[in-house]
Amino acid sequence: MSVTTSPTDAGLAGSSGPEVPTVVSSWNEWDPLEEVVVGRADGACFDPAEPGYRPQIRGPRAPGETFPVGPKSAETIRRANEELDNLSALLADRGIVVRRPDVVNFDHPLRTPEFDVPTQYCSVCPRDVVITLGRQVLEATMSRRARYFEYLPYRRLIRDYWNRDPRMIWTAAPKPSMADDMYREEFWELTQEERFARMHEFEFCVGQEEPVFDAADMTRMGRDVFVQESMTTNRPGIAWLRRELEPRGLRVHPVHFPLDFFPSHIDCTFVPLRPGLVLTNPDRPIKDEDATFFTKNDWRFLDAPEASSTNDEMPKYCQSSRWLSMNVLSISPDTIICEDSEVGVHRLLRAEGFEVITVPFRNVYEFGGSLHCATWDVRRTGECADYFPHFGPG
Ligand code: ABU
């Protein structure tokens, strides 16, 4: 495949000079990692049910048992924090600057003019909330009520980056109302057959009126940013991103995975590992028309192997799928951090020539994600490159 440095670099990067420090700069998911934010579990609550979300207990349940509401136990939080701290120490040992969000107590009801929820959620998954797009830090609209204020634990860090880096651009996307009529509650009642029949409509639990997106529905590949239509990102959300990012020289592409009936966040579905290679989910193939853009630019899709557990064997209160196995963190184009138990993924990546580092992370799963979700890369070495030179038709 051919790679060119984007002709729009100058416009994207702004003025440069040795005296101006670069604090925020990350163009893709694989360049050498220099600075990262790792989430923390303190103050976390169970995700409350709401129009955009119906949490479920995994595996067998006692008669009448319902999904808990309120704070997670001190022991659950301790175990997750141990793994998050261990990841932080490993990254720091490799010379990567690691920063952490503020400690926030999420056990507060939230009431706005449009809605209320009994508690908020947690600060384990910065990836869902904020994204670095070159020199820009963008706060997502978010899609769920309990996550409306989830940017707050990161604001001290964002302000610090903004103060230290005069070229850093700080943008907060407009908050949606999250009123009842923003959602399509009938989505939750559809049968499997109905979902199958409607799989190409890409209509989920959020409507198509207000722009809505979670940051984790985006994946960055230099000048090109891919955004999946999902339960957490709608078409106006993608249109908003396009208008925001294209004047800065990026290209925004909607992508679709028709067999994923509950899509939420692209990083267990379509995970770029290095230029020309994407780890793909065999249960959730990309729509043919979307795949063409990759194949005509000589990208290769590498199907992930079976995960180490079934969905039912995932932690009881975990709302993510077994495909957290694919939720890896690249710290360079040839070094990837994976969860300890996901041996199939280790084997596959080693066979592709990657150095694989493994860490225990299963106690983090019930907080919404694995290694990619629980991190937000602020700075990676490298510039904006064009990995898709064959852009037009033909
Ligand atoms: N937060 C990522 C979860 C994606 C999945 O369950 O497949």
Side-chain angles (χ1 to χ4, degrees), residues 4-39:
T4 52
T5 303
S6 165
T8 56
D9 271 2
L12 290 161
S15 62
S16 62
E19 73 290 349
V20 180
T22 295
V23 184
V24 173
S25 179
S26 179
W27 295 101
N28 58 49
E29 307 288 337
W30 57 75
D31 270 345
L33 186 61
E34 295 182 12
E35 179 153 348
V36 68
V37 176
V38 175

Side-chain angles (χ1 to χ4, degrees), residues 207-272:
Q208 300 293 344
E209 184 64 34
E210 302 183 52
V212 170
F213 67 93
D214 280 7
D217 278 314
M218 275 180 263
T219 187
R220 304 155 304 157
M221 306 187 205
R223 195 176 172 194
D224 293 279
V225 178
F226 299 86
V227 194
Q228 84 160 341
E229 272 189 51
S230 72
M231 301 195 300
T232 42
T233 293
N234 62 8
R235 289 188 282 281
I238 299 175
W240 189 91
L241 285 165
R242 185 168 263 162
R243 286 196 219 174
E244 171 63 25
L245 300 177
E246 294 202 343
R248 298 184 195 286
L250 297 178
R251 298 185 293 216
V252 173
H253 312 269
V255 282
H256 307 86
F257 303 89
L259 290 176
D260 189 355
F261 297 156
F262 295 91
S264 166
H265 306 163
I266 198 168
D267 51 1
C268 292
T269 301
F270 198 74
V271 179

Side-chain angles (χ1 to χ4, degrees), residues 171-388:
T171 308
K175 281 289 179 195
S177 68
M178 301 198 187
D180 287 350
D181 63 7
M182 195 185 98
Y183 298 96
R184 300 168 66 245
E185 285 229 71
E186 67 277 14
F187 167 82
W188 300 106
E189 312 306 331
L190 295 175
T191 63
Q192 198 67 356
E193 292 69 33
E194 287 168 329
R195 288 182 198 284
F196 188 78
R198 295 178 188 195
M199 67 181 167
H200 289 291
E201 291 171 13
F202 305 104
E203 291 292 347
F204 305 103
C205 52
V206 287
Q208 300 293 344
E209 184 64 34
E210 302 183 52
V212 170
F213 67 93
D214 280 7
D217 278 314
M218 275 180 263
T219 187
R220 304 155 304 157
M221 306 187 205
R223 195 176 172 194
D224 293 279
V225 178
F226 299 86
V227 194
Q228 84 160 341
E229 272 189 51
S230 72
M231 301 195 300
T232 42
T233 293
N234 62 8
R235 289 188 282 281
I238 299 175
W240 189 91
L241 285 165
R242 185 168 263 162
R243 286 196 219 174
E244 171 63 25
L245 300 177
E246 294 202 343
R248 298 184 195 286
L250 297 178
R251 298 185 293 216
V252 173
H253 312 269
V255 282
H256 307 86
F257 303 89
L259 290 176
D260 189 355
F261 297 156
F262 295 91
S264 166
H265 306 163
I266 198 168
D267 51 1
C268 292
T269 301
F270 198 74
V271 179
L273 300 174
R274 65 180 174 221
L277 187 65
V278 186
L279 184 63
T280 47
N281 184 321
D283 282 357
R284 304 172 182 170
I286 190 169
K287 193 175 154 191
D288 288 345
E289 294 91 311
D290 298 341
T292 308
F293 190 60
F294 289 85
T295 48
K296 78 178 177 189
N297 283 287
D298 299 326
W299 281 68
R300 184 160 62 94
F301 295 155
L302 179 67
D303 262 353
E306 268 309 317
S308 66
S309 61
T310 64
N311 280 334
D312 275 354
E313 290 161 352
M314 294 291 275
K316 182 171 182 176
Y317 301 124
C318 173
Q319 299 306 297
S320 304
S321 72
R322 69 191 194 281
W323 296 111
L324 283 185
S325 60
M326 299 173 55
N327 195 250
V328 298
L329 175 67
S330 294
I331 60 170
S332 81
D334 38 42
T335 311
I336 300 184
I337 308 183
C338 301
E339 208 284 326
D340 254 354
S341 63
E342 301 297 348
V343 291
V345 176
H346 309 166
R347 227 177 276 128
L348 180 80
L349 297 183
R350 285 187 178 122
E352 286 289 329
F354 290 100
E355 178 194 352
V356 172
I357 302 168
T358 70
V359 291
F361 223 60
R362 284 190 87 83
N363 289 306
V364 178
Y365 281 11
E366 78 160 77
F367 294 78
S370 189
L371 293 144
H372 193 257
C373 299
T375 51
W376 155 36
D377 50 302
V378 171
R379 191 172 63 260
R380 291 181 185 264
T381 314
E383 296 298 322
C384 181
D386 185 350
Y387 302 99
F388 298 89

Side-chain angles (χ1 to χ4, degrees), residues 33-36 38 84-100 329 331 337 357:
L33 186 61
E34 295 182 12
E35 179 153 348
V36 68
V38 175
L84 290 158
D85 293 349
N86 177 57
L87 172 68
S88 303
L90 181 147
L91 293 166
D93 278 353
R94 293 223 157 203
I96 297 162
V97 177
V98 179
R99 310 211 43 201
R100 309 297 295 274
L329 175 67
I331 60 170
I337 308 183
I357 302 168

